[in-house]
Amino acid sequence: MTDNKDILVEFDHFGFKYNAQQKPTLSDISLSVKRGEKVLIAGPSGCGKSTMVHCINGLIPFSYKGEMTGSLKISGKESRDLDLFTISKTVGTVLQDTDAQFVGMTVAEDIAFALENSCVIREEMKERVLRIAGTVNVQDHLHHAPGELSGGQKQRVSVAGVMVDDVEVLLFDEPLANLDPATGREAIELIDKLQEETGAAVIIVEHRLEDVLWRHVDRVVLMNEGRIISNTDADTLLCSKLLSETGIREPLYVQALKYAGVFLAPEKKPSDPALPGLDEKDKEMVRRWFENSGDDSPSGRKHPLLEVRDLCFSYEKRNRRALDGISAAIYEGSMTAIVGTNGAGKSTFSKVICGFETASSGEMIFEGIDLKSLSMKERAEHIGYVMQDPNHMISQTMIYDEVAFGLRNRGVPEDEVQSRVEDALKICGLYRMRNWPVSALSYGQKKRVTIASILVLRPKMLILDEPTAGQDYRHYTDIMEFLVKLRDQGITIVMITHDMHLMIEYADRAIVFSNGRIIADDDPARIITDAGIIKTASLRETSLYLLAKKCGINDGTAFVKRFIACEKEYRR
Amino acid sequence: MTNLFNYIERPSPIHRLTGATKLVCMLLWSFAAMVTYDTRFLALLSIAGAALFLVGNIRTKDVSFMLGFTIVFLFFNNILIYVFSPMHGTGIYGSCTYLTSWHGRYAPTVEQLFYQLNYILKYSATIPVILLFVCTTNPSEFAASLNRIGISYRISYSVSLALRYIPDVQQQYYEISKASQARGVEMSKKASLLKRLKAASNILIPLILSSMGRIETIANAMELRGFGKHKKRTWYMARKFRISDYASMAVSLLLFITALVLNHINNGRFYNPFLNH
Amino acid sequence: MKKLSVKTIVAIGIGAALFFVLGRFVAIPSPIPDTNITTQYGLLAFIAAVFGPIAGLFAGLIGHFFIDFSYGWGVWWSWVIASGVFGLLMGIISRKLRVDEGEFSGKDIAFFNLEQFIAHIISWVIVAPVLDILIYSEPVNKVFTQGLVSAVSNSITTGIIGTLLCLAYAKAIPKKGSLKEED
């Protein structure tokens, strides 16, 4: 046992029930976090992780009312005897929604926010802001507005904004949810660096295990249904079956090792992606598994549904071209991923295709029709666009009306509306809930409603912006399997995404955007193993590739393909 | 979009004044122009205001967009006044000097034209300082300035939040409206008014309801960083008053007092040149 | 004055931002000059109904102030204040409603619309014109006509947009009740 004063957060048989709910959200939680420790809290949606975050930072019980049982001590004091402001001096929270956390008008003001609230004088503020901005490397952006920053920069400002208070516990709520792959990795590296420099305790709440494990964590706390089901080091956890049982995705290389039949033990340190503990026998097993692979079925030449030639576009007032000579084809019945950093042009590309923006030059041919001759509304009958946040699309209260909306706007007779709406609802698995209010649905179900409301217009192609953002593995799989089903029914799917797993697992092709140009258009497995593209497009090589190299397999692309084939089989 | 309020960063004596000073001056100046209809005084303010543009290093082309709006607004308002009340000036100045031999209701009178000249002067006296304030005050300084002149920091911060989130809301509105139009929502002039209103609601509902969810998250984020802890707060963007600040405020106060004094001398708000007739 | 909660402050800020964007970008031109058919009062009525009179007052004042400000045509104080008054009145009268608890049915809709009509009349036919006369000495019949036109057009937009918003918001609040799947 270490010194008691080093224990910063201590749950002891703690439970919590929100006033509005009948069952407790957390029960029998016992957990302590010491100074200098790094703890990952993982678990599927609805397991109580967000409630844990609220308990640690004091929003429970000071903003959200409910019934607390047991004890929770922050720096040795019972949290219910403290107040929100005292707790926030100890615990700094970085929220998932960095736009909501960024309340200042510029970077410097936002970092200074906590100091302003503590009435620190201006000269001291300036100096502290400058120092902390240097630590998180935003010192060159002090006078920039949030709109001028990338997602990763905004997050670093958020981190600076809580660190400026010299907190002892840094609490990160889903820090990776909105970041592109390379930026996510930088975030994890930054957290690691900050902990070394400040000696603070770090608590990360995240379901993307593999990304967090890029740097060492001391312990992983696994939660399910409001309870802690495991509290151990990452190596032990990865060797158990608990992750797959709770619906948390194991790192891909661990999955591959398991498929290959490699026996994993904590001594082999499976949490380290460099896999120092893998012996020759294990490597041989991986090689054998790889060579055993069946056919690598080459997909036959397909018929292009949409062809784009030399497409250019720039937003007014900005000189740089957002799209600079884009030429590509989307094939009928394919599932294409469009990837790249924020601002690379992938969203702009889809907006131009759907007619939300007008191209300055170039051609867009959809099944022989020139898209430029069609209005936005007419194009929607060929190409449907699904926004990232379903809440931004839903304007009706009832599911049926929401799906019927686009048809009614087009003056389609009501009996045809009914048959088409019912068809769309059946495809999306919502038919039985057709007379429910939209508000009764979960996020994933709402997403389906928005997809149904687009499908009802019978487009041949769907463009989805980040179809799985912020979803845990189970919901992710649900949404993606649903899209596969649509694809099998002949609808061409285009997905704009940051998620490398999604790309290699589901897309049959990936188009990589960088600075308004297409820098690659190829098989995802090949893209993810091409160091040059990965670097330019701010992607991230997959751990599978590292594993292949480690085992002396030269054809990384084939190895990734073998894994995906195995995954697909396993899922069936 | 960040420059919706047209702040122009340029070195000038006016830029160097603190936001609070400029706010006080703008308010006093506007009130001075508001309380009196003394033609001479309004003309003086108009000329002085235009001169300040030179001091503030702001050029006509920087504000041409806003000036355009103002001129249209002023034009219509003048027509409306004439249409509704062509004898308003006669009523105010107590005399009636027709310019034409025709003496109908809409016959032009010197008094009416003089009243409308004053009305225009009232604008030209205030608009320069407002435009100047808009162009020379960093929006970031705005909230700190409000707090400085005695408005509670909580309300001041909500002003800052509004400025912070306007670009986000604008962006969201744009995207939602495009996606709705693709689904067939018709906002163009072709649709009837009622249809357009319903169409607007179909875009506004998702925009506003998703913003409601945001409110709680932002409030949490602010409380977690100690907002509302003390009775006071300091401001990163606040600046110390210097001699020029005090001098500017004193001049503005003087103008305001002059306006009040003039009202007393003129026995009312209007300077009446027709009395000597 | 009672200390404002942080949530109210954020509601004022976001409410004003929405008011601004609606007023600047979602206005439908009407045949009468400087009287646009505005959509923002439906929003303001809704904000006031959910967050109370203080939020309504300041969201209206700040939002309208920024609209005038961004056009640069000078701040038309009389109308800015009238917008605030409308938010304030809606917040006070809406205390009888329970929109934030998910209740907004037939009787509430009638009540909401009656009160918004009265609040618009007070704001545009009394507050705005009287201030116009006091501040700018404008002709009486001109300002009252303008006020009346605004009151009527604003009540129509508030009636449609405000009512739909309250309905959508109230329905989005989960209520206990059995939802059955159908075949």
Side-chain angles (χ1 to χ4, degrees), chain A residues 61-180:
Chain A
F62 300 108
S63 285
Y64 297 105
K65 301 296 173 200
E67 224 173 87
M68 276 165 103
T69 53
S71 135
L72 166 59
K73 286 181 182 155
I74 305 288
S75 276
K77 293 200 189 80
E78 218 27 83
S79 85
R80 67 194 95 190
D81 301 334
L82 300 168
D83 62 75
L84 190 57
F85 300 133
T86 315
I87 295 177
S88 73
K89 281 275 173 204
T90 309
V91 182
T93 317
V94 178
L95 300 179
Q96 179 185 348
D97 183 347
T98 44
D99 271 310
Q101 178 144 13
F102 201 129
V103 291
M105 292 187 55
T106 58
V107 170
E109 287 166 77
D110 191 65
I111 297 177
F113 185 73
L115 301 177
E116 292 179 328
N117 294 330
S118 303
C119 298
V120 174
I121 56 161
R122 198 167 163 269
E123 286 67 30
E124 193 190 330
M125 263 199 274
K126 287 239 147 173
E127 183 215 305
R128 276 167 77 175
V129 165
L130 202 62
R131 198 180 51 206
I132 216 93
T135 320
V136 301
N137 197 22
V138 291
Q139 69 275 32
D140 297 333
H141 304 284
L142 282 179
H143 300 296
H144 285 187
E148 299 167 292
L149 303 177
S150 70
Q153 285 168 334
K154 274 187 238 178
Q155 191 180 57
R156 275 183 271 153
V157 173
S158 298
V159 175
V162 302
M163 282 187 51
V164 79
D165 240 351
D166 295 324
V167 289
E168 292 172 284
V169 180
L170 280 169
L171 179 60
F172 292 89
D173 188 3
E174 309 225 5
L176 301 173
N178 301 314
L179 301 181
D180 68 53

Side-chain angles (χ1 to χ4, degrees), chain B residues 9-29:
Chain B
E9 204 166 343
R10 238 178 239 157
S12 92
I14 297 188
H15 283 80
R16 277 195 291 280
L17 295 176
T18 70
T21 307
K22 279 178 278 198
L23 186 63
V24 168
C25 292
M26 177 191 76
L27 290 174
L28 283 173
W29 187 298

